[in-house]
Amino acid sequence: MVTGAAGGIGQAIVKILSDAGVDIAAADIQLEGVKCAAALPGDLADPTYCDELPAQAERILGGLDIVVNNAGIIRRGPITEATDEDYRQSFAVNVEAPFRICRAAIPLLAESGAATIVNIASCWGLRAGPNHPLYCMSKAALAAMTQCLGHDHAHQGIRINAVCPNEVDTPMLRSGFNARGIDPETGIDELNQSVPLGHIAKPEEIADVVLFLASDQSRYMCGSLVEVNGGKPVA
């Protein structure tokens, strides 16, 4: 099951897992164009939807072995400009949704005996950058939850890890440039120059790490926060 399946990283995750032979239950607010075994559209800010999502996926797919909590939102700007709604949305999608999904999924995953949860956190949740307090706070919470759950549920045969990207070339990132009156191509080019490897991540480069963490190749990894940043530290 993959949340945020219609986004830039989400579509890359769905494709790489599907290519590896995994049947995908995709979750997002709209799923037009997402190729998957089961489409489960809904709003991750809705607690009931999140609570019921793992069981729906298990029922339709005939089992549940992998959960990827990929969905996330960014609210930019200093805390003095943040609204109550910005706070509510950030924590509803970035923290409460993964919390509810993990809580509902773990009893189902335990039946597998060899299951995985991969959360998409952020480098910015490990070392906070400027002018993104809500994003940094929420991703820090997700990283901490990953480490706690990784320890608590390893004995059930459930490995729980997180991928922590820095900037990724997605429609969400580009929309942020548009909102600030910056040409997205210019913004991406400038970011590329700040990365030791020469470019910010493509969604596929994040999806590759998700596939690794979901596979038996990472069988001894549990509670890990894997940074995927091209060598670029958080500024």
Side-chain angles (χ1 to χ4, degrees):
M1 186 185 82
V2 179
T3 69
I9 296 175
Q11 290 193 47
I13 293 170
V14 169
K15 183 178 187 306
I16 199 167
L17 290 177
S18 296
D19 288 348
V22 178
D23 291 329
I24 302 294
D28 211 322
I29 201 158
Q30 66 83 25
L31 290 161
E32 183 178 353
V34 178
K35 296 180 180 180
C36 57
L40 301 172
D43 185 355
L44 286 167
D46 177 358
T48 301
Y49 172 69
C50 294
D51 289 342
E52 296 175 352
L53 199 52
Q56 289 184 14
E58 184 196 44
R59 183 170 60 253
I60 294 172
L61 298 177
L64 188 63
D65 302 296
I66 301 167
V67 171
V68 183
N69 284 305
N70 164 69
I73 63 171
I74 297 178
R75 293 293 180 264
R76 301 173 175 87
I79 199 166
T80 49
E81 296 177 6
T83 66
D84 288 356
E85 185 61 12
D86 290 333
Y87 176 88
R88 187 196 70 79
Q89 289 183 354
S90 294
F91 279 79
V93 176
N94 295 355
V95 182
E96 185 175 349
F99 157 73
R100 289 181 176 277
I101 289 168
C102 286
R103 183 176 65 181
I106 283 170
L108 306 177
L109 296 172
E111 298 175 6
S112 167
T116 61
I117 296 174
V118 182
N119 297 321
I120 307 301
S122 172
C123 293
W124 288 61
L126 307 182
R127 288 173 300 280
N131 292 320
H132 287 68
L134 294 180
Y135 184 71
C136 292
M137 291 160 59
S138 62
K139 289 298 187 177
L142 182 57
M145 185 177 76
T146 298
Q147 291 179 308
C148 289
L149 299 186
H151 175 274
D152 292 347
H153 299 284
H155 72 283
Q156 295 174 278
I158 307 171
R159 296 186 303 102
I160 303 172
N161 299 289
V163 180
C164 301
N166 206 321
E167 295 103 346
V168 184
D169 188 355
T170 62
M172 185 166 68
L173 182 72
R174 289 173 177 264
S175 70
F177 286 124
N178 279 323
R180 289 172 282 167
I182 300 170
D183 174 65
E185 292 301 329
T186 300
I188 295 293
D189 287 343
E190 291 180 357
L191 282 178
N192 287 343
Q193 296 173 31
S194 70
V195 181
L197 278 181
H199 68 277
I200 64 172
K202 299 295 184 184
E204 293 76 16
E205 292 170 314
I206 306 305
D208 283 339
V209 183
V210 173
L211 175 62
F212 168 70
L213 290 176
S215 76
D216 192 52
Q217 289 183 323
S218 62
R219 58 191 174 274
Y220 202 63
M221 295 179 68
C222 197
S224 297
L225 306 176
V226 182
E227 294 191 59
V228 187
N229 57 18
K232 178 182 176 179
V234 175

